[in-house]
Amino acid sequence: GVQSYQTNVDMLASRTLLGKFLFDDAGIVLHKVEGGNVHSDGTIDDIITRWTLRLTAKVIPWKPTARFSGISVYDVRPDARSSSTTGVTIVHQTDYWDSINIAPSSSSSRTDMDYVQQYQTVPKSIAVNDFINQLKPGGFQAQAAAPELPYQLLRRGDGYEVRSYPGYTGVKLPYRRRDEGFGSLGAFTKGMQPLSPALMDVRTDDVSDKYMMWPLTYVKPGKTEAETPGDAVEKAGE
């Protein structure tokens, strides 16, 4: 129920003795809540939440960070007790990870309520293996060559991530070979502080018409636009 959920959250947030020993820098982002409609006969639809979770295992010397995304399905019933403060009782909770529980034949859908059917249960050993693989040296991601644009993780799937980046300004140049693209951008941004990742625009109708971009600035919290670097504008005008 609610108490069990709170206990799990407190552990991941290092508010319990075990959590303080195991984890650091934990965070849960709740992206969406659907369902919970109450019908005339008193029944309540399942509640579906979409979330992302991260936690750092500080007991491991290299302090790896594991990330998960998925949905939770809550089977709820009306709580008839007069002392109830929530109005419902959580009868059962089922968690599905995007990295291991999506059925191979599933197609995309517009809402989590629709694609709950796309998830399948898997043995717990698969979940444990997915977690352990993220804790290994090197982990899922390669080290970035430069400071990276801040982003919010929306989904961590099987070998891919879906991220939300803020608005940004950048320098974009044409290239034919990738090493030429990095060389040209490196020369242009000398003395600046470009960010990763490098963004490639490859046109399918003409392989010679390719562009590479390096972000330079991004929209800071509380702002509506990214600052335009004066030295980049000056170089572009030369």
Side-chain angles (χ1 to χ4, degrees), residues 27-170:
I28 299 176
V29 178
L30 184 64
H31 299 285
K32 184 166 53 176
V33 179
E34 293 185 315
N37 298 316
V38 181
H39 299 280
S40 58
D41 60 358
T43 59
I44 306 175
D45 289 341
D46 289 345
I47 297 175
I48 315 296
T49 62
R50 169 156 284 284
W51 45 264
T52 53
L53 164 70
R54 78 170 190 280
L55 54 90
T56 298
K58 65 180 182 181
V59 295
I60 300 177
W62 53 90
K63 294 180 172 54
T65 296
R67 296 176 175 85
F68 306 90
S69 70
I71 65 171
S72 294
V73 182
Y74 298 92
D75 180 7
V76 297
R77 298 287 187 272
D79 194 337
R81 296 176 299 174
S82 59
S83 60
S84 172
T85 59
T86 60
V88 298
T89 297
I90 299 175
V91 178
H92 188 263
Q93 173 185 343
T94 305
D95 298 320
Y96 298 102
W97 297 358
D98 293 325
S99 56
I100 61 175
N101 290 114
I102 295 180
S105 60
S106 296
S107 59
S108 61
S109 182
R110 298 181 63 181
T111 68
D112 287 317
M113 292 293 290
D114 292 335
Y115 65 59
V116 166
Q117 302 301 323
Q118 298 181 12
Y119 288 84
Q120 61 182 359
T121 57
V122 297
K124 289 185 178 180
S125 59
I126 295 180
V128 172
N129 189 59
D130 182 66
F131 179 51
I132 291 177
N133 282 339
Q134 293 193 71
L135 302 183
K136 293 179 179 179
F140 176 72
Q141 299 173 337
Q143 184 67 36
E148 189 170 6
L149 277 173
Y151 66 89
Q152 182 179 61
L153 179 66
L154 300 180
R155 174 172 292 189
R156 174 186 166 268
D158 184 9
Y160 70 92
E161 290 186 350
V162 178
R163 303 174 176 181
S164 174
Y165 286 97
Y168 60 88
T169 63

Side-chain angles (χ1 to χ4, degrees), residues 172-187:
K172 183 178 182 180
L173 296 175
Y175 74 99
R176 290 181 179 273
R177 298 201 320 264
R178 187 170 298 185
D179 59 334
E180 292 178 349
F182 282 106
S184 297
L185 286 171

